[in-house]
């Protein structure tokens, strides 16, 4: 039995300690917002937060998340309020198929915590996720917009 | 191709269709559909097969096409909302049940082996036949950028009919003459503006009203919603993680299956041994499935690991276990020289005279196999119960999935229901039936248990239906007129496997028609004095399929690269040469000129940089792109900026058109810079993004999209036409920047 805190809820689960966090979330906890895209830490679709930092959960053993707080796309909105990054995503109509977007949004939230005013180069460096639909220019606009909202812009 | 031959091909297709799939409906029907057709719930009233209203004042529109990111839910709902005069916030969308009403007629028209430029009675007859086919034994499919083109009239008509019905219902209810009433902002009002009834209040009032012929549709000048960048209907679900994709389907008792497909194409699993002698905890069954073997259990991750470590599979190798890419190129080169064309086409007047003032310009181009790599790997969930088969699947053709599920399970098609989830990308891959066969095969041995088959990325890349590899050779004859060279004729020979030959065989079991895929043989828009095409169809065991923009994806590279080479030989600017050759093509010309102007064609760039232009009409739309590229160190290619112009006829939602152009450019750019599937010992060498990479933010160019209004009234597709021009635009820009002509995809400076 291990105990895992996901989106503010603590779960006691019986899983192998080396099972990747992604598959514990999706199979054992029915948290399916984080997506599977490659399984080798190459695409970022599985990005979640562990202790407020972005990790690629397909390549992160669940044992390493024990005692830490895990947040997924489902846990991003607080008190029914969308997160600023989600609002910026809606304003810029970013998603196409949408499959990569939970990963991008989680990576962006983590980026803006560390770097509240990222340049285009900072964004390129920090967001190395793959979007096969090519929503990159909308993502760039939305990241800047989210930074502005978090900085107090209306 | 002769007239008789063309008709024979159509006849063959029709005949095969009737024989092979004669159980599809054989009666042509009105595409409006019955009022009771569309999944009515207690608080809803159907207005026709496409629209229902709810007591909560909602308007629900039937979307029988797959939402794979192209915004089809939004665009199709706009067509209905426009004619109904509904408010955008009233609109909901829902997948309708399987019905012939929802089948896609345009996709069949596009599948005919003609160039859309051809007209005249033969082609018209062919279109007519295909139109009949679409309605008669056609398919519900999403592809070929056809969704909006197909729905443009039927769904607007559905909205107009619904408006007429609601006006009559309100008139009867309020005792006012219908002529005094209008729908404004989603409610019925009197002409003086006074409110008469909300839609919600009319749910019980449509019963018993007679059908009437559809009222006239709005003129474009009357559109209130069409042409506006309305927000997409699927965004909120997609930014909150609530959108359900195929791999998110959760049903009670769900089991997960991992698969290993035959390492060589066309092979099968013959048997297996368990290394530990028994199944480990959590694995319930090992199942031999079409093309491979599946491990089914309570965790996909565990099943994957078990397949790697716990099972020894005995494989029946496929028919070509020794296949490798260098060997294939040799065979293609031989076919290019000596092959018998499956299709020959000539335009213009043959020039037979030769003179010593003539020179030839020859250039050969290559394009590799490509995988689709939709970000959501291939998957399908199926349950077999006493009443039939239920399938949940991100797919591009419920009709084909249903047929394949029924055949796999050995039940009639009406015992199969297919639920289409959101697609985490489609790009043509999700029209294939391999996953549904495997999922139903697993579900058959685990009755009543839903089984979710999911392929790893490695299985996805190694067992795709690939964009064909292709080889082409262009040859131009030039003649010196004074000191100026002049163009006499051009000819192209090209070799590729044909997805349209393979697809009906593989998915439905129709007999093979050895024809090149239609998009690969469309006529160039240019007024060459004489043009000849010889298209050879290569045999091969490698499965080839429909990859975003299909044959345009390689032939645009061949054709538009060669036009640039021709411009050099004729000592002309590549833009000027294209302009000169676009005689009688005002729409193409305007698109080309818009892209060039907006890109600042001809203005200076820093050293090591260059611009390239390319033009391609596909799926009813015309697109030109100018790429600005820098090759700073002579080795690495950086695409800085892409300017794109499109004429797609009437624009339903300009925001979606722009997004689709950007999407098509990035998809094509990933292929142009990185995409290459190679074979050795009958196996695909690549396996995951580290060796089959995609463009990421750091490589994504700045893009500007310009919508060109030529006043054309035919609506064009937008899902695919953005892809074809980017590879040649970049190759042409590399030439402008460095003087190196790259004739193979993907583009690598080392090849120059
Ligand atoms: S699935 Fe984790 S990075 Fe791709
Ligand atoms: S929106 Fe489809 S992969 Fe990014």
């Amino acid at each position: 039995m291990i105990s895992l805190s996901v989106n503010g809820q603590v779960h006691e689960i019986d899983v192998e300690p080396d099972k990747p966090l992604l598959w514990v979330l999706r199979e054992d906890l029915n948290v399916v917002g984080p997506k599977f895209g490659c399984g080798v830490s190459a695409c970022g679709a599985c990005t979640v937060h562990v202790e407020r930092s972005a990790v690629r959960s397909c390549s992160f053993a669940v044992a390493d998340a024990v005692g830490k707080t895990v947040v997924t796309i489902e846990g991003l909105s607080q008190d029914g309020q969308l997160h600023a990054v989600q609002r910026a995503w809606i304003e810029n109509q970013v998603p196409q198929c949408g499959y990569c977007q939970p990963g991008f949004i989680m990576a962006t939230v983590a980026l803006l915590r560390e770097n509240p005013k990222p340049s285009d180069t900072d964004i390129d460096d920090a967001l190395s996720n793959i979007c096969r639909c090519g929503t990159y220019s909308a993502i760039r606009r939305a990241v800047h917009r989210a930074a502005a909202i978090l900085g107090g812009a209306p | 191709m002769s007239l008789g031959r063309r008709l024979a091909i159509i006849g063959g297709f029709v005949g095969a269709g009737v024989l092979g799939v004669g159980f599809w409906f054989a009666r042509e029907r009105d595409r409006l559909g019955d009022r009771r057709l569309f999944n009515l719930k207690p608080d809803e009233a159907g207005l026709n097969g496409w629209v229902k209203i709810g007591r909560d004042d909602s308007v629900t529109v039937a979307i029988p096409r797959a939402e794979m990111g192209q915004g089809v839910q939004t665009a199709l709902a706009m067509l209905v909302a426009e004619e109904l005069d509904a408010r955008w916030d009233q609109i909901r969308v829902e997948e309708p049940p399987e019905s012939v009403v929802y089948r896609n007629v345009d996709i069949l028209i596009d599948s005919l082996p003609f160039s859309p430029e051809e007209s005249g009675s033969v082609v018209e007859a062919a279109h007519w036949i295909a139109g009949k086919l679409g309605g008669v034994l056609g398919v519900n499919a999403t592809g070929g950028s056809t969704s909006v083109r197909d729905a443009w009239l039927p769904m607007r008509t559905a909205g107009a009919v619904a408006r007429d019905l609601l006006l009559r219902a309100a008139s009867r209810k309020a005792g006012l003459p219908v002529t005094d009433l209008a729908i404004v902002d989603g409610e019925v009002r009197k002409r003086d503006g006074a409110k008469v009834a909300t839609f919600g209040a009319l749910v019980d009032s449509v019963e018993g009203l007679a059908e009437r012929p559809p009222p006239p549709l709005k003129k474009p000048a009357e559109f209130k919603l069409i042409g506006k960048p309305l927000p997409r209907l699927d965004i909120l679900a997609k930014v909150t993680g609530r959108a359900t994709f195929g791999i998110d389907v959760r049903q009670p008792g769900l089991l997960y299956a991992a698969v290993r497909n035959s390492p060589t194409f066309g092979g099968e699993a013959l048997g297996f041994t368990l290394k530990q002698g028994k199944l480990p905890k959590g694995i319930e069954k090992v199942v031999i499935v079409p093309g491979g073997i599946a491990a089914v259990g309570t965790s996909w991750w565990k099943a994957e690991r078990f397949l790697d470590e716990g099972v020894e599979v005995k494989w029946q190798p496929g028919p070509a276990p020794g296949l490798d890419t260098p060997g294939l190129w040799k065979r293609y080169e031989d076919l290019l020289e000596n092959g018998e064309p499956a299709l020959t086409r000539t335009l213009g007047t043959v020039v037979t005279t030769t003179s010593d003032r003539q020179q030839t310009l020859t250039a050969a181009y290559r394009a590799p196999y490509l995988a689709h790599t939709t970000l959501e790997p291939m998957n399908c969930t199926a349950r077999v119960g006493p009443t039939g088969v239920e399938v949940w699947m991100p797919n591009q053709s419920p009709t084909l999935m249903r047929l394949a599920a029924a055949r796999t399970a050995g039940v009639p098609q009406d015992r199969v229901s297919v639920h289409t989830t959101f697609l985490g990308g489609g790009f043509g891959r999700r029209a294939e039936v391999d996953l549904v066969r495997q999922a139903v095969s697993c579900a058959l041995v685990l009755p009543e248990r839903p089984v979710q088959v999911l392929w790893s990325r490695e299985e996805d890349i190694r067992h795709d239906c690939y964009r064909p590899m292709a080889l082409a050779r262009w040859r131009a004859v030039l003649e010196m007129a004074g000191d100026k060279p002049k163009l006499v004729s051009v000819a192209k020979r090209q070799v590729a496997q044909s997805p349209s030959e393979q697809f009906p065989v593989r998915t439905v079991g129709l007999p093979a028609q050895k024809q090149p895929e239609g998009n690969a043989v469309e006529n160039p828009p240019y007024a060459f004095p004489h043009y000849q095409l010889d298209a050879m169809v290569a045999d091969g065991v490698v499965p080839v399929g429909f990859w975003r923009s299909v044959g345009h994806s390689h032939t645009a590279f061949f054709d538009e690269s060669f036009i640039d080479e021709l411009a050099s030989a004729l000592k002309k600017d590549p833009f000027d040469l294209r302009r000169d050759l676009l005689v009688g093509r005002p729409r193409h010309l305007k698109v080309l000129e818009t892209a060039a102007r907006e890109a600042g064609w001809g203005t200076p760039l820093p050293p090591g940089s260059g611009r390239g232009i390319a033009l391609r009409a596909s799926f009813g739309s015309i697109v030109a792109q100018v790429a600005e590229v820098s090759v700073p160190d002579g080795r690495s290619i950086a695409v800085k900026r892409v300017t794109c112009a499109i004429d797609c006829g009437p624009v339903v939602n300009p925001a979606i058109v722009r997004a689709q152009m950007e999407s098509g450019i990035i998809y094509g750019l990933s292929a142009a810079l990185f995409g290459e599937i190679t074979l050795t010992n009958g196996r695909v060498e690549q396996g995951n993004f580290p060796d089959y990479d995609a463009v990421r933010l750091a490589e994504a160019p700045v893009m500007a999209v310009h919508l060109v209004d030529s006043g054309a009234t035919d609506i064009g597709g937008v899902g695919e036409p953005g892809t074809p021009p980017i590879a040649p635009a970049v190759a042409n820009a590399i030439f402008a920047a460095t003087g190196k002509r790259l004739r193979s995809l993907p583009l690598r400076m080392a090849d120059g």
Side-chain angles (χ1 to χ4, degrees):
Chain A
M1 276 294 178
I2 63 166
S3 142
L4 199 63
S5 158
V6 176
N7 298 330
Q9 248 188 303
V10 179
H11 305 266
E12 301 290 326
I13 40 174
D14 181 15
V15 291
E16 294 88 334
D18 60 342
K19 185 167 181 176
L21 178 58
L22 173 67
W23 297 106
V24 174
L25 292 168
R26 295 187 56 87
E27 295 179 347
D28 300 286
L29 301 178
N30 200 20
V31 173
V32 297
K35 303 300 186 215
F36 166 62
C38 68
V40 297
S41 210
C43 76
C46 61
T47 305
V48 302
H49 294 170
V50 176
E51 294 292 274
R52 296 168 65 81
S53 293
V55 305
R56 295 190 167 175
S57 64
C58 68
S59 309
F60 191 93
V62 65
D64 296 332
V66 173
K68 302 181 179 156
T69 55
V70 177
V71 176
T72 72
I73 186 82
E74 289 94 337
L76 203 54
S77 319
Q78 296 282 319
D79 317 313
Q81 286 282 308
L82 291 176
H83 190 279
V85 172
Q86 290 170 309
R87 278 164 51 206
W89 245 246
I90 295 173
E91 278 180 36
N92 286 280
Q93 297 277 297
V94 176
Q96 289 189 23
C97 86
Y99 194 80
C100 68
Q101 302 295 339
F104 266 106
I105 290 171
M106 297 310 283
T108 301
V109 171
L111 163 67
L112 295 178
R113 267 181 198 144
E114 299 204 332
N115 181 352
K117 275 259 163 279
S119 66
D120 276 340
T121 317
D122 296 340
I123 296 172
D124 289 354
D125 290 345
L127 303 182
S128 58
N129 299 23
I130 291 176
C131 172
R132 284 295 280 152
C133 301
T135 60
Y136 298 123
S137 61
I139 286 174
R140 260 187 211 138
R141 285 196 304 274
V143 175
H144 288 304
R145 172 68 185 138
I149 298 175
L150 286 167
Chain B
M1 186 162 55
S2 75
L3 193 143
R5 172 108 193 264
R6 278 179 190 147
L7 289 177
I9 289 161
I10 299 162
F13 194 76
V14 176
V18 171
L19 289 176
V21 285
F23 37 80
W24 274 332
F25 278 103
R27 196 156 70 88
E28 192 193 25
R29 277 207 204 162
D30 180 0
R31 290 187 70 191
L32 258 186
D34 189 273
R35 280 185 216 167
R36 285 166 310 247
L37 178 62
F38 180 24
N39 306 334
L40 297 184
K41 294 181 205 75
D43 277 336
E44 293 173 342
L47 305 181
N48 52 57
W50 297 88
V51 196
K52 60 186 181 181
I53 52 170
R55 234 179 274 287
D56 59 359
D57 213 24
S58 62
V59 174
T60 305
V61 179
I63 308 292
R65 304 285 168 260
E67 179 58 69
M68 43 192 170
Q70 81 285 42
V72 70
Q73 292 186 340
T74 305
L76 296 191
M78 283 174 73
L79 303 180
V80 171
E82 175 68 63
E83 296 289 340
L84 180 54
D85 287 315
R87 284 191 325 275
W88 191 235
D89 62 11
Q90 284 177 299
I91 299 291
R92 317 267 180 278
V93 292
E94 196 176 306
E95 184 186 14
E98 168 75 18
S99 163
V100 68
V101 169
Y102 306 117
R103 287 173 179 184
N104 187 340
V105 178
D106 249 44
I107 204 166
L108 271 160
I109 293 179
D110 253 22
S111 69
L112 292 170
F114 306 109
S115 184
E117 303 297 330
E118 292 183 46
S119 59
S121 55
V122 175
V123 175
E124 267 150 38
H127 281 199
W128 182 83
I129 292 169
K132 291 275 181 226
L133 265 174
V136 175
L137 41 81
V139 288
N140 174 5
T142 311
S145 300
T146 54
S147 295
V148 175
R149 281 193 282 164
D150 177 68
W152 178 244
L153 289 176
M155 289 190 76
R156 284 168 61 212
T157 304
V161 165
R163 185 188 59 214
D164 177 64
L165 196 65
L166 287 178
L167 286 174
R168 283 188 285 139
S171 144
R172 188 168 70 172
K173 188 170 176 184
L176 293 165
V178 115
T179 45
D180 278 2
L181 302 177
I183 294 178
V184 182
D185 280 343
E187 60 184 27
V188 182
R189 295 190 191 156
K190 287 214 284 204
R191 293 274 173 202
D192 64 12
K195 178 166 151 180
V196 175
T198 62
F199 289 179
L202 295 172
V203 166
D204 300 318
S205 313
V206 291
E207 187 71 34
L209 287 170
E211 303 291 342
R212 286 213 308 208
L217 299 177
K218 288 185 184 176
K219 307 237 170 359
E222 300 170 291
F223 289 158
K224 294 198 188 79
L225 300 179
I226 291 177
K228 299 248 157 61
L230 294 186
R232 293 172 60 130
L233 298 167
D234 52 355
I235 295 287
L236 184 62
K238 288 178 176 177
V239 302
T240 51
R242 288 203 298 265
T244 298
F245 295 88
I247 76 162
D248 303 331
V249 167
R250 291 294 178 269
Q251 290 289 322
L254 183 67
L255 293 171
Y256 302 93
V259 169
R260 289 294 172 273
N261 290 288
S262 160
T264 53
F265 294 115
E268 295 287 347
L270 292 174
F272 58 90
T273 47
L274 302 178
K275 290 185 186 162
Q276 305 293 329
K278 63 175 175 43
L279 292 175
K281 184 169 157 265
I283 302 294
E284 310 225 343
K285 274 236 187 319
V286 178
V287 189
I288 293 183
V289 295
I293 190 158
V296 190
T298 50
S299 160
W300 182 79
W301 171 74
K302 229 175 166 170
E304 270 287 312
R305 202 190 234 194
F306 168 69
L307 284 174
D308 280 341
E309 297 166 2
V311 200
E312 194 90 59
V313 185
K314 190 163 182 295
W315 295 104
Q316 163 78 55
L323 211 61
D324 67 11
T325 301
L328 271 175
W329 282 126
K330 275 189 80 174
R331 211 169 89 209
Y332 278 33
E333 276 158 16
D334 181 55
L335 274 169
L336 192 75
E337 291 303 326
N338 310 311
E340 180 64 32
L343 180 141
T344 292
R345 187 181 289 144
T346 53
L347 300 170
T349 338
V350 193
V351 184
T352 43
T353 55
T354 54
S355 80
D356 53 5
R357 299 175 56 80
Q358 286 185 354
Q359 315 164 349
T360 56
L361 170 72
T362 305
Y365 304 91
R366 289 178 173 203
Y369 287 118
L370 292 175
H372 296 78
T373 58
T374 58
L375 197 57
E376 178 188 20
M378 293 297 110
N379 65 85
C380 177
T381 306
R383 178 174 59 208
V384 176
T387 55
V389 183
E390 203 158 359
V391 172
W392 297 263
M393 190 183 185
N395 76 86
Q396 288 177 249
S397 178
T399 313
L400 291 179
M401 299 312 140
R402 194 166 177 230
L403 175 64
R407 287 184 177 176
T408 305
V411 300
Q413 286 196 76
D414 59 10
R415 304 273 293 280
V416 178
S417 51
V418 176
H419 311 281
T420 301
T421 62
F422 277 119
L423 281 66
F427 313 129
R429 177 63 177 90
R430 289 192 154 103
E432 304 289 342
V433 300
D434 41 0
L435 268 291
V436 73
R437 283 184 185 143
Q438 292 189 344
V440 172
S441 300
C442 291
L444 277 168
V445 297
L446 289 149
E448 312 256 7
R449 299 294 299 271
V451 181
Q452 183 165 96
V453 170
L454 169 64
W455 285 7
S456 65
R457 176 61 61 198
E458 288 76 8
E459 293 300 317
D460 172 60
I461 288 184
R462 294 183 179 141
H463 302 281
D464 203 343
C465 296
Y466 302 91
R467 195 286 302 275
M469 70 180 245
L471 177 62
R473 190 184 56 214
W474 272 100
R475 175 170 283 152
V477 177
L478 312 176
E479 193 166 71
M480 292 304 290
D483 59 346
K484 279 231 162 95
K486 168 172 151 285
L487 184 60
V488 177
S489 66
V490 295
K492 179 171 68 158
R493 283 173 73 81
Q494 67 186 36
V495 181
Q497 286 166 279
S498 168
S500 43
E501 179 191 15
Q502 282 193 2
F503 182 81
V505 179
R506 152 171 95 221
T507 54
V508 185
L510 294 180
Q513 308 276 331
K514 206 175 181 73
Q515 279 298 307
E517 185 273 313
N519 294 306
V521 295
E522 289 189 10
N523 291 336
Y526 303 116
F528 296 121
H530 179 250
Y531 161 85
Q532 172 158 346
L533 169 72
D534 292 310
M536 275 69 70
V537 177
D539 288 323
V541 298
V542 181
V544 291
F546 304 117
W547 186 96
R548 195 173 195 171
S549 82
V550 204
H552 293 289
S553 69
H554 47 86
T555 46
F557 173 68
F558 305 155
D559 302 356
E560 288 295 299
S561 294
F562 186 68
I563 291 288
D564 254 51
E565 300 210 46
L566 204 52
S568 298
L570 293 166
K571 304 189 187 347
K572 284 200 170 174
D573 175 90
F575 164 62
D576 290 338
L577 175 64
R578 285 178 175 81
R579 198 165 50 177
D580 294 350
L581 287 171
L582 287 172
V583 178
R585 303 273 190 191
R587 290 180 67 188
H588 293 70
L589 197 58
K590 196 166 171 190
V591 169
L592 184 81
E593 287 175 340
T594 303
R597 185 183 62 239
E598 297 295 338
W601 186 262
T603 58
L605 284 174
S609 301
R611 287 190 194 93
I613 193 165
L615 170 77
R616 189 71 170 189
S618 62
F619 309 98
S621 294
I622 304 160
V623 177
Q625 288 164 6
V626 175
E628 189 183 310
V629 169
S630 87
V631 189
D633 49 5
R635 285 197 309 270
S636 55
I637 301 164
V639 182
K640 298 286 190 197
R641 197 178 306 276
V642 175
T643 309
C644 174
I646 174 170
D647 175 359
C648 58
V651 172
V652 175
N653 185 321
I656 290 178
V657 176
R658 285 175 209 282
Q660 280 307 297
M661 287 303 106
E662 293 193 359
S663 176
I665 289 167
I666 297 289
Y667 198 75
L669 194 57
S670 287
L673 297 180
F674 310 122
E676 184 176 34
I677 291 290
T678 53
L679 311 174
T680 186
N681 292 323
R683 297 150 203 247
V684 169
E685 293 183 283
Q686 293 69 28
N688 205 321
F689 291 119
D691 55 18
Y692 190 82
D693 211 351
V695 162
R696 298 160 200 256
L697 262 167
E699 295 97 18
V702 173
M703 292 175 277
V705 178
H706 302 274
L707 309 187
V708 175
D709 180 5
S710 62
T713 53
D714 281 351
I715 190 156
V718 298
E720 295 169 276
T723 297
I726 189 63
V730 171
N732 293 340
I734 290 168
F735 178 75
T738 66
K740 279 193 181 178
R741 173 59 60 182
L742 301 184
R743 299 190 182 92
S744 292
L745 290 172
L747 302 168
R748 294 190 184 106
M749 289 310 292
D751 293 347

